[in-house]
Amino acid sequence: ENGATYFGSEDNPYMFLIAIDSEETELTDAHLAAYGLGAENAITLTFKRYDGATEQVVLGREFSDGLVYAFSSSLKSVASVPVSLKAKALTDISEFADDRLFPYDVSEVKSISLSLAGETVLLSRSEKAQWMMDSPVSANADQDAVGVLLGNILSLKESDKENNSLFISLNGGDESISVRTQAVLGDLSFADLRSRAILSIPLSSVKRITLSRAGSLAPAEVVEYNQDRSSWENKTKNNNLKVLPASLEEMMSGVEHLTASRIQSINVGADELRKYGLEKPYMSVAIDRRSGDMTRVNLLVGDKCGSEGRFATLGSDEAVFVLPMHVVRKLETPILGEAR
């Protein structure tokens, strides 16, 4: 409040509160000397933040009520701090020692291992500084969620230890430390650590699309791009059907940048697919690319998830996610129609 700043967190600062008292806008050497903040008299404390940035606080002379003058490098202003801070700096520097369970800077953490109730998640930072999920599935991680997670991990203290709870190790370390789950995950789940960005396939990169709908009397819709003619063609046995270009673009807009509303589970075995209606899906979308990655994309869409959408999964993935209803409606768009 009132321009105060903390080093560390407000709930658990590793330095005392700094309350701004000065109205000075530009401080000269003469000003600083008057407060006992000159180079020959002052004590300089340098604090390193969790993200690797440093803050300097210069402590000067005592003036009243158990306070000393101080100068903060970040505030660029004279402030007041308890005289006990200066006393501890002179007598016991261990007061300011880094007592975190994981004394790393953010940039020094390259991998994270989390284990809880028999489930393990492995995260690693790529050469492009992007977090990836390596296990139980191989996928992009949610960068914001991992950022929150890592901040919580690097704030852990001895008091956060708890037997047989959430086990953590960093950078491939052999030793795991068990800590309070709430202190690390908060409102997050393991599923929240996986990116909600599921697919990115522009129509211009697609060679063949097969749409199948459960319960429909009509056969699957199959279209294929003819590169010689630069056009899409009907590949079903019904020659009376033709490709509807606008409808095809509408349908593909649902998967061109496919983002789930949430991740339901990151590790679902084949025997659990029935629970989400994915063993006999409501519909399936098979996509073959024109070149490069020859892996077929199989998007399976299952039961409704209330009004939120439908459960879905990729054939090569073990994660179940929720497709927003507006995306489901796009996928339901017929891409073949009667020729006129």
Short mmCIF file of all heavy atoms in Angstrom, two decimals, residues 59-120:
data_model
loop_
_atom_site.label_atom_id
_atom_site.label_comp_id
_atom_site.label_asym_id
_atom_site.label_seq_id
_atom_site.Cartn_x
_atom_site.Cartn_y
_atom_site.Cartn_z
N LEU A 59 21.72 1.01 2.83
CA LEU A 59 21.27 1.40 4.17
C LEU A 59 22.14 2.53 4.70
O LEU A 59 23.38 2.45 4.66
CB LEU A 59 21.33 0.20 5.11
CG LEU A 59 20.53 -1.04 4.67
CD1 LEU A 59 20.72 -2.16 5.68
CD2 LEU A 59 19.07 -0.72 4.48
N GLY A 60 21.49 3.59 5.21
CA GLY A 60 22.21 4.76 5.69
C GLY A 60 22.10 4.93 7.20
O GLY A 60 22.04 3.96 7.95
N ARG A 61 22.00 6.19 7.65
CA ARG A 61 22.02 6.48 9.09
C ARG A 61 20.64 6.35 9.70
O ARG A 61 19.62 6.45 9.02
CB ARG A 61 22.58 7.89 9.33
CG ARG A 61 21.72 9.01 8.80
CD ARG A 61 22.33 10.36 9.14
NE ARG A 61 21.56 11.47 8.60
CZ ARG A 61 20.47 11.98 9.17
NH1 ARG A 61 20.01 11.47 10.30
NH2 ARG A 61 19.84 13.00 8.60
N GLU A 62 20.64 6.14 11.03
CA GLU A 62 19.39 6.06 11.79
C GLU A 62 18.87 7.47 12.01
O GLU A 62 19.65 8.42 12.20
CB GLU A 62 19.65 5.36 13.13
CG GLU A 62 18.39 5.12 13.93
CD GLU A 62 18.67 4.30 15.18
OE1 GLU A 62 19.82 3.84 15.35
OE2 GLU A 62 17.74 4.13 16.00
N PHE A 63 17.52 7.61 11.95
CA PHE A 63 17.02 8.96 12.18
C PHE A 63 15.94 9.01 13.26
O PHE A 63 15.93 9.94 14.05
CB PHE A 63 16.50 9.60 10.88
CG PHE A 63 15.33 8.91 10.24
CD1 PHE A 63 14.04 9.36 10.44
CD2 PHE A 63 15.53 7.81 9.41
CE1 PHE A 63 12.97 8.73 9.83
CE2 PHE A 63 14.46 7.18 8.80
CZ PHE A 63 13.17 7.63 9.01
N SER A 64 15.03 8.09 13.38
CA SER A 64 14.04 8.14 14.47
C SER A 64 13.22 6.87 14.49
O SER A 64 13.10 6.16 13.48
CB SER A 64 13.09 9.34 14.30
OG SER A 64 12.27 9.17 13.15
N ASP A 65 12.63 6.61 15.66
CA ASP A 65 11.66 5.53 15.80
C ASP A 65 12.18 4.19 15.31
O ASP A 65 11.43 3.41 14.72
CB ASP A 65 10.35 5.88 15.07
CG ASP A 65 9.71 7.14 15.62
OD1 ASP A 65 9.84 7.38 16.84
OD2 ASP A 65 9.09 7.87 14.83
N GLY A 66 13.46 3.91 15.53
CA GLY A 66 14.01 2.62 15.14
C GLY A 66 14.08 2.43 13.65
O GLY A 66 14.04 1.29 13.17
N LEU A 67 14.20 3.51 12.87
CA LEU A 67 14.27 3.44 11.41
C LEU A 67 15.60 3.99 10.92
O LEU A 67 16.22 4.85 11.55
CB LEU A 67 13.11 4.23 10.78
CG LEU A 67 11.69 3.78 11.13
CD1 LEU A 67 10.67 4.76 10.57
CD2 LEU A 67 11.43 2.38 10.59
N VAL A 68 16.02 3.47 9.77
CA VAL A 68 17.20 4.00 9.10
C VAL A 68 16.80 4.40 7.68
O VAL A 68 15.85 3.85 7.11
CB VAL A 68 18.36 2.98 9.05
CG1 VAL A 68 18.86 2.66 10.44
CG2 VAL A 68 17.95 1.71 8.32
N TYR A 69 17.55 5.34 7.12
CA TYR A 69 17.34 5.71 5.73
C TYR A 69 17.84 4.58 4.82
O TYR A 69 18.79 3.87 5.14
CB TYR A 69 18.09 7.00 5.39
CG TYR A 69 17.50 8.24 6.00
CD1 TYR A 69 18.22 9.01 6.91
CD2 TYR A 69 16.21 8.67 5.64
CE1 TYR A 69 17.69 10.16 7.47
CE2 TYR A 69 15.67 9.82 6.20
CZ TYR A 69 16.41 10.56 7.12
OH TYR A 69 15.87 11.68 7.66
N ALA A 70 17.17 4.45 3.69
CA ALA A 70 17.59 3.44 2.71
C ALA A 70 17.31 3.97 1.32
O ALA A 70 16.44 4.83 1.12
CB ALA A 70 16.84 2.12 2.92
N PHE A 71 18.08 3.48 0.37
CA PHE A 71 17.87 3.84 -1.03
C PHE A 71 17.65 2.56 -1.82
O PHE A 71 18.46 1.64 -1.77
CB PHE A 71 19.06 4.62 -1.58
CG PHE A 71 18.94 4.95 -3.05
CD1 PHE A 71 18.10 5.98 -3.46
CD2 PHE A 71 19.64 4.23 -4.00
CE1 PHE A 71 17.98 6.29 -4.81
CE2 PHE A 71 19.52 4.52 -5.35
CZ PHE A 71 18.68 5.56 -5.76
N SER A 72 16.55 2.52 -2.55
CA SER A 72 16.21 1.34 -3.34
C SER A 72 16.54 1.58 -4.79
O SER A 72 16.13 2.59 -5.38
CB SER A 72 14.72 1.02 -3.19
OG SER A 72 14.30 0.12 -4.18
N SER A 73 17.27 0.64 -5.40
CA SER A 73 17.65 0.79 -6.81
C SER A 73 16.44 0.72 -7.73
O SER A 73 16.44 1.30 -8.81
CB SER A 73 18.65 -0.31 -7.20
OG SER A 73 18.06 -1.60 -7.06
N SER A 74 15.38 0.02 -7.31
CA SER A 74 14.21 -0.08 -8.17
C SER A 74 13.28 1.11 -8.01
O SER A 74 12.67 1.58 -8.96
CB SER A 74 13.44 -1.38 -7.88
OG SER A 74 13.00 -1.41 -6.54
N LEU A 75 13.19 1.62 -6.77
CA LEU A 75 12.30 2.76 -6.53
C LEU A 75 12.94 4.11 -6.87
O LEU A 75 12.24 5.10 -7.07
CB LEU A 75 11.87 2.78 -5.06
CG LEU A 75 11.09 1.56 -4.57
CD1 LEU A 75 10.83 1.67 -3.08
CD2 LEU A 75 9.80 1.41 -5.34
N LYS A 76 14.28 4.13 -6.89
CA LYS A 76 15.02 5.38 -7.17
C LYS A 76 14.60 6.48 -6.20
O LYS A 76 14.40 7.64 -6.58
CB LYS A 76 14.79 5.85 -8.61
CG LYS A 76 15.17 4.82 -9.68
CD LYS A 76 16.63 4.49 -9.63
CE LYS A 76 17.02 3.53 -10.75
NZ LYS A 76 18.43 3.10 -10.67
N SER A 77 14.42 6.11 -4.95
CA SER A 77 13.96 7.07 -3.95
C SER A 77 14.48 6.68 -2.60
O SER A 77 14.80 5.51 -2.34
CB SER A 77 12.42 7.11 -3.93
OG SER A 77 11.96 8.03 -3.00
N VAL A 78 14.59 7.66 -1.70
CA VAL A 78 14.97 7.39 -0.32
C VAL A 78 13.76 6.82 0.41
O VAL A 78 12.63 7.28 0.23
CB VAL A 78 15.48 8.67 0.38
CG1 VAL A 78 15.71 8.42 1.87
CG2 VAL A 78 16.76 9.15 -0.28
N ALA A 79 14.01 5.81 1.23
CA ALA A 79 12.94 5.12 1.93
C ALA A 79 13.37 4.89 3.37
O ALA A 79 14.47 5.27 3.78
CB ALA A 79 12.64 3.78 1.25
N SER A 80 12.48 4.31 4.17
CA SER A 80 12.82 3.97 5.54
C SER A 80 12.59 2.49 5.77
O SER A 80 11.61 1.93 5.27
CB SER A 80 11.97 4.79 6.52
OG SER A 80 10.59 4.50 6.35
N VAL A 81 13.52 1.88 6.51
CA VAL A 81 13.39 0.46 6.86
C VAL A 81 13.73 0.31 8.33
O VAL A 81 14.39 1.18 8.92
CB VAL A 81 14.31 -0.43 6.01
CG1 VAL A 81 13.99 -0.31 4.54
CG2 VAL A 81 15.77 -0.11 6.27
N PRO A 82 13.28 -0.77 8.97
CA PRO A 82 13.60 -0.98 10.38
C PRO A 82 15.11 -1.06 10.61
O PRO A 82 15.83 -1.65 9.81
CB PRO A 82 12.92 -2.31 10.71
CG PRO A 82 11.82 -2.43 9.69
CD PRO A 82 12.36 -1.79 8.45
N VAL A 83 15.57 -0.48 11.70
CA VAL A 83 16.99 -0.50 12.01
C VAL A 83 17.49 -1.92 12.23
O VAL A 83 18.69 -2.20 12.05
CB VAL A 83 17.28 0.38 13.25
CG1 VAL A 83 16.69 -0.24 14.52
CG2 VAL A 83 18.79 0.62 13.41
N SER A 84 16.57 -2.83 12.58
CA SER A 84 16.98 -4.22 12.80
C SER A 84 17.55 -4.85 11.53
O SER A 84 18.38 -5.75 11.60
CB SER A 84 15.78 -5.04 13.29
OG SER A 84 14.69 -4.95 12.38
N LEU A 85 17.11 -4.37 10.37
CA LEU A 85 17.65 -4.89 9.11
C LEU A 85 19.13 -4.57 9.01
O LEU A 85 19.94 -5.43 8.64
CB LEU A 85 16.88 -4.29 7.94
CG LEU A 85 17.41 -4.66 6.54
CD1 LEU A 85 17.33 -6.16 6.32
CD2 LEU A 85 16.64 -3.92 5.46
N LYS A 86 19.50 -3.35 9.37
CA LYS A 86 20.90 -2.97 9.30
C LYS A 86 21.71 -3.74 10.33
O LYS A 86 22.84 -4.18 10.06
CB LYS A 86 21.04 -1.46 9.53
CG LYS A 86 22.46 -0.93 9.35
CD LYS A 86 22.49 0.58 9.44
CE LYS A 86 23.93 1.10 9.20
NZ LYS A 86 23.98 2.58 9.27
N ALA A 87 21.13 -3.93 11.52
CA ALA A 87 21.83 -4.66 12.57
C ALA A 87 22.11 -6.10 12.14
O ALA A 87 23.20 -6.63 12.36
CB ALA A 87 21.01 -4.64 13.86
N LYS A 88 21.14 -6.73 11.52
CA LYS A 88 21.33 -8.11 11.07
C LYS A 88 22.34 -8.18 9.93
O LYS A 88 23.10 -9.15 9.82
CB LYS A 88 19.99 -8.70 10.64
CG LYS A 88 19.06 -8.97 11.81
CD LYS A 88 17.70 -9.46 11.35
CE LYS A 88 16.79 -9.73 12.54
NZ LYS A 88 15.44 -10.14 12.15
N ALA A 89 22.33 -7.16 9.07
CA ALA A 89 23.30 -7.15 7.98
C ALA A 89 24.73 -7.06 8.52
O ALA A 89 25.67 -7.58 7.92
CB ALA A 89 23.01 -5.99 7.04
N LEU A 90 24.90 -6.38 9.69
CA LEU A 90 26.22 -6.21 10.28
C LEU A 90 26.66 -7.40 11.11
O LEU A 90 27.85 -7.66 11.27
CB LEU A 90 26.24 -4.95 11.15
CG LEU A 90 26.14 -3.61 10.40
CD1 LEU A 90 25.90 -2.48 11.38
CD2 LEU A 90 27.41 -3.37 9.60
N THR A 91 25.67 -8.15 11.67
CA THR A 91 26.03 -9.21 12.62
C THR A 91 25.78 -10.62 12.12
O THR A 91 26.52 -11.54 12.45
CB THR A 91 25.24 -9.02 13.93
OG1 THR A 91 23.83 -9.07 13.63
CG2 THR A 91 25.58 -7.68 14.56
N ASP A 92 24.71 -10.83 11.33
CA ASP A 92 24.36 -12.19 10.94
C ASP A 92 23.78 -12.19 9.52
O ASP A 92 22.57 -12.13 9.34
CB ASP A 92 23.34 -12.78 11.92
CG ASP A 92 23.05 -14.25 11.63
OD1 ASP A 92 23.78 -14.84 10.82
OD2 ASP A 92 22.09 -14.79 12.20
N ILE A 93 24.65 -12.29 8.54
CA ILE A 93 24.21 -12.25 7.15
C ILE A 93 23.41 -13.50 6.79
O ILE A 93 22.69 -13.53 5.78
CB ILE A 93 25.43 -12.10 6.21
CG1 ILE A 93 24.98 -11.65 4.81
CG2 ILE A 93 26.21 -13.40 6.13
CD1 ILE A 93 24.38 -10.28 4.79
N SER A 94 23.48 -14.55 7.64
CA SER A 94 22.72 -15.77 7.36
C SER A 94 21.21 -15.51 7.37
O SER A 94 20.43 -16.31 6.85
CB SER A 94 23.06 -16.86 8.37
OG SER A 94 22.66 -16.48 9.68
N GLU A 95 20.80 -14.41 7.99
CA GLU A 95 19.39 -14.04 7.99
C GLU A 95 18.85 -13.92 6.56
O GLU A 95 17.68 -14.15 6.31
CB GLU A 95 19.22 -12.70 8.71
CG GLU A 95 17.80 -12.14 8.73
CD GLU A 95 16.89 -12.89 9.67
OE1 GLU A 95 17.41 -13.58 10.56
OE2 GLU A 95 15.65 -12.77 9.50
N PHE A 96 19.74 -13.60 5.62
CA PHE A 96 19.32 -13.37 4.24
C PHE A 96 19.69 -14.54 3.33
O PHE A 96 19.60 -14.43 2.12
CB PHE A 96 19.97 -12.09 3.70
CG PHE A 96 19.76 -10.91 4.59
CD1 PHE A 96 20.78 -10.44 5.40
CD2 PHE A 96 18.53 -10.29 4.64
CE1 PHE A 96 20.58 -9.35 6.25
CE2 PHE A 96 18.32 -9.19 5.48
CZ PHE A 96 19.35 -8.73 6.29
N ALA A 97 20.10 -15.65 3.91
CA ALA A 97 20.51 -16.80 3.09
C ALA A 97 19.32 -17.36 2.33
O ALA A 97 18.17 -17.28 2.76
CB ALA A 97 21.11 -17.88 3.98
N ASP A 98 19.61 -17.95 1.17
CA ASP A 98 18.58 -18.55 0.34
C ASP A 98 18.20 -19.90 0.96
O ASP A 98 18.95 -20.87 0.87
CB ASP A 98 19.10 -18.75 -1.08
CG ASP A 98 18.01 -19.16 -2.06
OD1 ASP A 98 16.89 -19.52 -1.60
OD2 ASP A 98 18.26 -19.13 -3.28
N ASP A 99 17.04 -19.96 1.62
CA ASP A 99 16.64 -21.19 2.31
C ASP A 99 15.54 -21.93 1.56
O ASP A 99 14.80 -22.72 2.15
CB ASP A 99 16.17 -20.87 3.74
CG ASP A 99 14.98 -19.91 3.76
OD1 ASP A 99 14.64 -19.36 2.69
OD2 ASP A 99 14.39 -19.72 4.84
N ARG A 100 15.46 -21.71 0.25
CA ARG A 100 14.45 -22.42 -0.53
C ARG A 100 14.85 -23.88 -0.72
O ARG A 100 16.03 -24.22 -0.73
CB ARG A 100 14.28 -21.75 -1.89
CG ARG A 100 13.72 -20.33 -1.83
CD ARG A 100 13.70 -19.70 -3.21
NE ARG A 100 15.04 -19.52 -3.75
CZ ARG A 100 15.33 -19.53 -5.05
NH1 ARG A 100 14.37 -19.75 -5.93
NH2 ARG A 100 16.56 -19.35 -5.46
N LEU A 101 13.86 -24.74 -0.91
CA LEU A 101 14.14 -26.15 -1.15
C LEU A 101 14.85 -26.35 -2.49
O LEU A 101 15.68 -27.24 -2.63
CB LEU A 101 12.83 -26.96 -1.14
CG LEU A 101 12.12 -27.08 0.21
CD1 LEU A 101 10.83 -27.86 0.05
CD2 LEU A 101 13.02 -27.72 1.25
N PHE A 102 14.49 -25.51 -3.47
CA PHE A 102 15.10 -25.58 -4.80
C PHE A 102 15.71 -24.21 -5.12
O PHE A 102 15.03 -23.34 -5.67
CB PHE A 102 14.07 -25.97 -5.86
CG PHE A 102 13.43 -27.32 -5.63
CD1 PHE A 102 12.20 -27.42 -5.00
CD2 PHE A 102 14.08 -28.48 -6.02
CE1 PHE A 102 11.61 -28.65 -4.78
CE2 PHE A 102 13.50 -29.72 -5.81
CZ PHE A 102 12.26 -29.81 -5.18
N PRO A 103 16.98 -23.97 -4.75
CA PRO A 103 17.60 -22.65 -4.91
C PRO A 103 18.08 -22.38 -6.33
O PRO A 103 19.27 -22.23 -6.59
CB PRO A 103 18.77 -22.71 -3.91
CG PRO A 103 19.15 -24.16 -3.90
CD PRO A 103 17.87 -24.93 -4.07
N TYR A 104 17.14 -22.35 -7.26
CA TYR A 104 17.45 -22.08 -8.67
C TYR A 104 16.85 -20.76 -9.11
O TYR A 104 15.85 -20.29 -8.55
CB TYR A 104 16.88 -23.18 -9.58
CG TYR A 104 17.46 -24.55 -9.40
CD1 TYR A 104 16.80 -25.50 -8.63
CD2 TYR A 104 18.65 -24.92 -10.03
CE1 TYR A 104 17.31 -26.79 -8.48
CE2 TYR A 104 19.17 -26.20 -9.88
CZ TYR A 104 18.49 -27.12 -9.10
OH TYR A 104 18.99 -28.38 -8.95
N ASP A 105 17.44 -20.17 -10.15
CA ASP A 105 16.77 -19.12 -10.91
C ASP A 105 15.84 -19.80 -11.91
O ASP A 105 16.04 -20.95 -12.28
CB ASP A 105 17.77 -18.25 -11.68
CG ASP A 105 18.70 -17.48 -10.76
OD1 ASP A 105 18.34 -17.32 -9.58
OD2 ASP A 105 19.77 -17.06 -11.22
N VAL A 106 14.84 -19.07 -12.37
CA VAL A 106 13.89 -19.63 -13.35
C VAL A 106 14.62 -20.15 -14.58
O VAL A 106 14.33 -21.24 -15.08
CB VAL A 106 12.85 -18.56 -13.76
CG1 VAL A 106 12.02 -19.04 -14.94
CG2 VAL A 106 11.93 -18.23 -12.58
N SER A 107 15.59 -19.39 -15.07
CA SER A 107 16.29 -19.76 -16.30
C SER A 107 17.15 -21.02 -16.14
O SER A 107 17.54 -21.63 -17.13
CB SER A 107 17.17 -18.61 -16.78
OG SER A 107 18.15 -18.28 -15.81
N GLU A 108 17.46 -21.40 -14.91
CA GLU A 108 18.32 -22.55 -14.66
C GLU A 108 17.54 -23.87 -14.67
O GLU A 108 18.15 -24.94 -14.70
CB GLU A 108 19.04 -22.40 -13.32
CG GLU A 108 20.03 -21.25 -13.29
CD GLU A 108 20.62 -21.02 -11.92
OE1 GLU A 108 19.94 -21.32 -10.92
OE2 GLU A 108 21.77 -20.55 -11.85
N VAL A 109 16.21 -23.80 -14.62
CA VAL A 109 15.41 -25.02 -14.56
C VAL A 109 15.10 -25.49 -15.98
O VAL A 109 14.46 -24.80 -16.76
CB VAL A 109 14.09 -24.78 -13.79
CG1 VAL A 109 13.26 -26.06 -13.76
CG2 VAL A 109 14.38 -24.30 -12.38
N LYS A 110 15.58 -26.67 -16.31
CA LYS A 110 15.40 -27.23 -17.64
C LYS A 110 14.37 -28.35 -17.68
O LYS A 110 13.84 -28.66 -18.75
CB LYS A 110 16.74 -27.76 -18.17
CG LYS A 110 17.86 -26.73 -18.16
CD LYS A 110 17.53 -25.49 -18.98
CE LYS A 110 18.69 -24.50 -18.98
NZ LYS A 110 18.34 -23.24 -19.68
N SER A 111 14.10 -28.99 -16.55
CA SER A 111 13.11 -30.06 -16.53
C SER A 111 12.47 -30.15 -15.15
O SER A 111 13.08 -29.78 -14.14
CB SER A 111 13.73 -31.40 -16.92
OG SER A 111 14.67 -31.81 -15.95
N ILE A 112 11.24 -30.63 -15.13
CA ILE A 112 10.47 -30.77 -13.89
C ILE A 112 9.82 -32.15 -13.89
O ILE A 112 9.21 -32.55 -14.88
CB ILE A 112 9.36 -29.70 -13.79
CG1 ILE A 112 9.94 -28.29 -13.91
CG2 ILE A 112 8.59 -29.84 -12.48
CD1 ILE A 112 8.88 -27.20 -14.05
N SER A 113 9.94 -32.85 -12.78
CA SER A 113 9.26 -34.13 -12.60
C SER A 113 8.30 -34.00 -11.42
O SER A 113 8.70 -33.57 -10.32
CB SER A 113 10.27 -35.25 -12.33
OG SER A 113 9.59 -36.46 -12.00
N LEU A 114 7.03 -34.37 -11.65
CA LEU A 114 6.00 -34.31 -10.61
C LEU A 114 5.36 -35.69 -10.49
O LEU A 114 4.98 -36.29 -11.50
CB LEU A 114 4.91 -33.29 -10.97
CG LEU A 114 5.34 -31.86 -11.29
CD1 LEU A 114 4.17 -31.09 -11.87
CD2 LEU A 114 5.85 -31.17 -10.04
N SER A 115 5.23 -36.18 -9.28
CA SER A 115 4.57 -37.47 -9.05
C SER A 115 3.57 -37.33 -7.92
O SER A 115 3.92 -36.83 -6.84
CB SER A 115 5.59 -38.56 -8.70
OG SER A 115 6.47 -38.80 -9.79
N LEU A 116 2.35 -37.78 -8.17
CA LEU A 116 1.28 -37.67 -7.18
C LEU A 116 0.34 -38.85 -7.35
O LEU A 116 -0.21 -39.06 -8.44
CB LEU A 116 0.52 -36.35 -7.35
CG LEU A 116 -0.67 -36.12 -6.41
CD1 LEU A 116 -0.19 -35.99 -4.97
CD2 LEU A 116 -1.43 -34.87 -6.83
N ALA A 117 0.17 -39.61 -6.28
CA ALA A 117 -0.79 -40.73 -6.25
C ALA A 117 -0.60 -41.68 -7.42
O ALA A 117 -1.55 -42.09 -8.07
CB ALA A 117 -2.22 -40.18 -6.22
N GLY A 118 0.65 -41.99 -7.73
CA GLY A 118 0.95 -42.95 -8.78
C GLY A 118 0.98 -42.39 -10.18
O GLY A 118 1.29 -43.11 -11.13
N GLU A 119 0.69 -41.12 -10.35
CA GLU A 119 0.72 -40.48 -11.67
C GLU A 119 1.93 -39.56 -11.75
O GLU A 119 2.19 -38.78 -10.82
CB GLU A 119 -0.56 -39.69 -11.92
CG GLU A 119 -0.65 -39.10 -13.32
CD GLU A 119 -1.99 -38.41 -13.57
OE1 GLU A 119 -2.78 -38.27 -12.63
OE2 GLU A 119 -2.23 -38.00 -14.73
N THR A 120 2.68 -39.65 -12.84
CA THR A 120 3.89 -38.84 -13.01
C THR A 120 3.79 -38.00 -14.27
O THR A 120 3.37 -38.47 -15.32
CB THR A 120 5.14 -39.74 -13.10
OG1 THR A 120 5.28 -40.47 -11.88
CG2 THR A 120 6.40 -38.91 -13.32
#
